[in-house]
Amino acid sequence: MDSDNHATIIQKARAYENEYSGTALPELMLLSSNTVDSLAPYLLLESVEQGYPLKPWVGPFNQFEQVLYDTGSAVWQKNLHGIWLHLRLEDVYPDLVEAYYREGPGAVRSTFDELLDRLDALITGFRERTSATLLVSNFHSPLRLSFNIFDANQDQGLVYLISELNRRLASLCTRSADTHVFDLAGLVERLGREAWDDPRLYYMARMGFSQRVLRPLANRLVRSFAAARRTSAKVLVFDLDNTLWGGVLGDDGIEGIKIGGDYPGNIFADIQRAALALRAQGYLLAIASKNDRELVLQAFQEHPDMLLKEDDFSSIHCHWEPKTISLPHIADELNLGLDSFVFIDDNPVERNMVRSALPDVRVMELPPEPWNYLAALLNFPGLDRPRLSSEDLQRADMYQQEAKRTRTRSQVSSMEEFLSGLEMKATVGTMNRTTEERIFQLINKTNQFNLTTRRHSLDTLRRFAQQDSAEVFWLRLVDRFGELGLIAVGIVIEEQPQIWGIDTFLMSCRVMNREIESSFLAYVTSQLRNRGAKELRGYYSPTKRNHIVRDFYSEQGFDAVENRASGERVFRLVLAETQVPVWAGFIEQTTRPNVRKFHA
């Protein structure tokens, strides 16, 4: 983020407006209880510079409810991509502080109950009208109305009541599809209350923030919308020397590298702590280093202050070949695309080589001063993730388990022996509130084993789940090495009476080549037969990444019936004539409704 002044920002934004004048950019609607017009050029600038161009649209001042309830408003005809709903306590309840001291905490809680009801109605109304991502600002203390410096000394003080309000707002947002809290309170704390506030702009123009915070505010908003609409990175590939530790291992030896203790070792200890925290959130860690592998492994084992251990990494490539060779090898090992990689290296030459040779890889630009490395890592946009599923939290351990499976496979003589030895058990069922986030995540990030690659919003998935003419199925897998999580999704829609189409059929690449897909298809087919279906249609839409499933339906006994001009192929299975085989032999009914288990 640069230090351009306001006039320069406006000039750059106008240049971008001209550049994109003939492009139908997705629109970002700003609805606020205070004036936010000056934020629009900053949002345009940030969105373009982050590679995510958006067209900001500022709603009428303090009329968010009028916009929502005016069904004839032109806003609902716009190409809405996102909505920022920004209410400030001092705008909606200007007498809040006075009421607190006059009537006590109970009155404030009642006021906040009313505010949450109001927000609940707004969120519900937006969700009925648009599938755009909705960000709702949380609340900071009223900047000009807090008189008591000992407010935090009272367990029922305003500071704690507002924190309680923000927790309840977070709970409210998690209940609604693609609706997230925008942490405005955290941004105010980060930048400082005095930097945030400008009394002159507030009293003269009803602006709720100073001009100097417009750029960081715009940056956070664009990052938040981008994170909600795009998949985050999956793999962090680290260099070692002067990146995960200070010094050069080959020159300084294990005892000479710097980790922990005083400066500069304390810098690298914090970077290792951050890497472990990211691993705990489901990011895979890998190493691409020009080093002797045996010496590196010895360092992880023997250095007394080493926080990261060999087992924390899903892939380790230490040799003297270029890193542009290491990264594709790591991608092959993990069965992930390079577009899910983040490369972290202190050497600008190495970074530029990777940028040039592997443009899909996201390269983190580290500052020249190592004390700023941690901030660069923690503020990298590619790591933004709005919500964490249980599978996210388990992903790194799942990949460690996968390494054990790979070793087991190398020790057996046949695929049948390998699959039998895994002792797989798969639970299947239909989407509900506990599985919808993971299903939404899989649908919007799975590329290889994905027959149609159709991306559906969470709202659309919920509508499918509620309709009699549609169903969203899932499969969860476990084997003797551990839990693999929810790894397959199938969506079927009744296209004509007794004729159903497979809108979506996908599976995580982590479980390919296990024949699970046949079992899952058999389950889906049996459910449709039970509902009186006579015919099932499957669709294959080719992409750059899904060629491995080109012949899937033919292999499952479907007949090819049509090749469309778009490249999509249509297949048909007459259910009365054909039985899709169930790999492993049988299906067992469980006590839970609408859920069954496969045993292998």
Side-chain angles (χ1 to χ4, degrees):
M1 193 182 305
D2 57 42
S3 56
D4 289 340
N5 60 33
H6 183 68
T8 304
I9 296 292
I10 298 299
Q11 185 179 20
K12 287 184 175 181
R14 285 175 179 164
Y16 285 135
E17 279 183 348
N18 293 332
E19 181 180 342
Y20 287 94
S21 60
T23 305
L25 294 180
E27 300 200 38
L28 175 58
M29 181 165 67
L30 312 180
L31 293 177
S32 175
S33 62
N34 57 85
T35 303
V36 295
D37 299 69
S38 59
L39 184 61
Y42 288 79
L43 285 168
L44 175 59
L45 179 68
E46 278 290 337
S47 69
V48 172
E49 294 189 352
Q50 290 187 34
Y52 198 70
L54 297 168
K55 180 181 179 182
W57 181 85
V58 181
F61 170 76
N62 203 23
Q63 294 186 35
F64 36 88
E65 284 159 323
Q66 292 91 323
V67 169
L68 169 64
Y69 296 121
D70 181 5
T71 57
S73 172
V75 68
W76 302 116
Q77 309 304 316
K78 291 179 177 289
N79 179 27
L80 277 182
H81 176 89
I83 302 169
W84 179 41
L85 180 59
H86 172 54
L87 279 63
R88 295 193 321 153
L89 290 175
E90 51 263 67
D91 296 331
V92 293
Y93 296 112
D95 300 325
L96 178 66
V97 176
E98 178 195 357
Y100 169 77
Y101 288 109
R102 186 179 63 247
E103 302 177 35
V108 172
R109 280 201 172 91
S110 296
T111 297
F112 288 169
D113 288 343
E114 175 188 311
L115 176 57
L116 287 166
D117 288 342
R118 190 176 177 187
L119 286 168
D120 192 11
L122 283 165
I123 292 169
T124 301
F126 282 129
R127 289 279 68 102
E128 290 173 351
R129 294 206 180 347
T130 177
S131 60
T133 295
L134 176 59
L135 295 184
V136 183
S137 288
N138 60 8
F139 301 96
H140 56 75
S141 299
L143 297 173
R144 275 170 300 284
L145 300 178
S146 298
F147 299 106
N148 189 354
I149 63 171
F150 286 103
D151 186 59
N153 200 38
Q154 306 172 60
D155 60 3
Q156 298 292 309
L158 265 177
V159 63
Y160 297 116
L161 295 178
I162 293 171
S163 295
E164 181 182 293
L165 169 65
N166 285 334
R167 288 194 296 273
R168 294 175 66 191
L169 174 63
S171 178
L172 176 64
C173 288
T174 59
R175 299 200 300 265
S176 183
D178 205 12
T179 301
H180 310 281
V181 170
F182 177 69
D183 188 17
L184 191 81
L187 188 58
V188 172
E189 179 182 359
R190 179 188 178 105
L191 299 177
R193 291 164 60 95
E194 291 185 2
W196 190 266
D197 193 25
D198 188 328
R200 180 179 64 88
L201 289 177
Y202 175 76
Y203 288 116
M204 296 181 66
R206 297 297 297 274
M207 274 184 63
F209 34 76
S210 70
Q211 186 171 294
R212 55 186 159 172
V213 304
L214 289 172
R215 190 73 189 265
L217 174 57
N219 175 273
R220 282 299 179 97
L221 277 169
V222 173
R223 276 180 59 179
S224 297
F225 279 111
R229 305 291 286 202
R230 299 190 297 194
T231 56
S232 71
K234 299 184 180 74
V235 187
L236 307 182
V237 184
F238 286 93
D239 173 46
L240 294 176
D241 294 333
N242 291 312
T243 301
L244 278 183
W245 55 59
V248 178
L249 179 61
D251 294 337
D252 302 324
I254 294 174
E255 68 285 353
I257 59 175
K258 308 298 183 189
I259 313 166
D262 296 328
Y263 175 85
N266 49 9
I267 292 173
F268 298 98
D270 273 353
I271 291 171
Q272 292 199 16
R273 288 188 182 96
L276 285 169
L278 288 164
R279 185 186 185 278
Q281 295 174 52
Y283 294 100
L284 308 183
L285 306 183
I287 293 172
S289 173
K290 292 180 179 178
N291 252 309
D292 179 77
R293 179 181 175 88
E294 294 306 317
L295 185 59
V296 166
L297 297 183
Q298 186 181 353
F300 280 118
Q301 293 167 4
E302 297 181 4
H303 195 289
D305 296 319
M306 188 76 71
L307 300 175
L308 288 163
K309 301 300 180 184
E310 178 184 350
D311 286 346
D312 292 319
F313 295 94
S314 299
S315 180
I316 297 177
H317 276 249
C318 295
H319 47 64
W320 301 101
E321 296 292 331
K323 295 175 184 180
T324 52
I325 291 178
S326 292
L327 268 67
H329 284 317
I330 295 171
D332 289 341
E333 284 180 21
L334 301 178
N335 200 17
L336 291 170
L338 285 170
D339 57 352
S340 65
F341 278 47
V342 176
F343 179 62
I344 306 164
D345 193 314
D346 69 296
N347 189 332
V349 175
E350 298 283 3
R351 297 198 298 265
N352 288 334
M353 287 178 64
V354 170
R355 282 194 186 97
S356 176
L358 304 172
D360 288 342
V361 174
R362 307 178 215 195
V363 178
M364 184 178 297
E365 190 61 28
L366 289 181
E369 308 85 3
W371 50 83
N372 287 322
Y373 285 3
L374 183 63
L377 177 63
L378 298 181
N379 290 298
F380 187 68
L383 303 180
D384 294 330
R385 192 180 283 168
R387 287 177 185 159
L388 293 175
S389 67
S390 59
E391 280 77 9
D392 289 327
L393 298 175
Q394 299 169 16
R395 181 175 294 110
D397 289 334
M398 289 176 180
Y399 272 83
Q400 298 296 94
Q401 295 160 8
E402 190 61 31
K404 296 177 183 178
R405 296 182 186 99
T406 301
R407 288 194 292 270
T408 299
R409 182 171 180 175
S410 67
Q411 296 166 3
V412 299
S413 58
S414 68
M415 179 60 74
E416 291 75 14
E417 182 183 353
F418 169 67
L419 293 176
S420 177
L422 286 178
E423 301 174 9
M424 291 184 290
K425 296 181 181 179
T427 306
V428 290
T430 53
M431 190 182 87
N432 57 26
R433 290 285 181 174
T434 63
T435 56
E436 62 182 20
E437 282 287 344
R438 173 58 177 167
I439 289 171
F440 171 69
Q441 184 184 65
L442 272 178
I443 283 174
N444 286 281
K445 76 175 186 179
T446 304
N447 294 302
Q448 290 180 283
F449 200 108
N450 191 335
L451 274 297
T452 58
T453 323
R454 294 174 185 170
R455 311 302 192 187
H456 293 303
S457 69
L458 198 49
D459 275 333
T460 301
L461 293 176
R462 286 174 174 170
R463 285 197 297 271
F464 286 155
Q466 294 168 358
Q467 293 171 1
D468 291 335
S469 59
E471 196 62 86
V472 182
F473 297 107
W474 53 261
L475 181 145
R476 185 183 297 275
L477 187 65
V478 63
D479 64 21
R480 71 184 179 92
F481 293 105
E483 174 75 43
L484 289 105
L486 195 157
I487 49 84
V489 174
I491 300 175
V492 291
I493 299 172
E494 189 171 25
E495 299 175 344
Q496 300 175 34
Q498 299 182 316
I499 298 177
W500 289 69
I502 303 178
D503 171 273
T504 296
F505 196 87
L506 62 85
M507 188 174 68
S508 169
C509 61
R510 290 185 289 115
V511 294
M512 289 195 296
N513 302 317
R514 293 192 182 202
E515 304 181 23
I516 291 297
E517 58 272 20
S518 296
S519 297
F520 188 41
L521 182 61
Y523 166 69
V524 172
T525 304
S526 67
Q527 294 297 293
L528 295 178
R529 275 201 186 93
N530 294 341
R531 296 180 68 160
K534 302 298 183 185
E535 183 179 312
L536 181 60
R537 294 175 181 171
Y539 302 92
Y540 169 68
S541 300
T543 70
K544 293 180 180 179
R545 302 278 296 277
N546 74 349
H547 58 88
I548 61 172
V549 294
R550 179 181 54 211
D551 300 320
F552 174 73
Y553 285 122
S554 297
E555 293 167 352
Q556 302 300 319
F558 285 64
D559 295 321
V561 294
E562 184 182 355
N563 291 322
R564 294 177 173 171
S566 63
E568 184 176 65
R569 299 166 65 194
V570 184
F571 299 82
R572 183 180 66 171
L573 183 72
V574 180
L575 298 181
E577 300 174 359
T578 309
Q579 176 71 43
V580 175
V582 179
W583 181 78
F586 61 90
I587 302 174
E588 177 186 316
Q589 179 79 44
T590 69
T591 55
R592 285 180 292 169
N594 212 18
V595 176
R596 292 174 171 78
K597 282 186 178 179
F598 292 88
H599 292 281

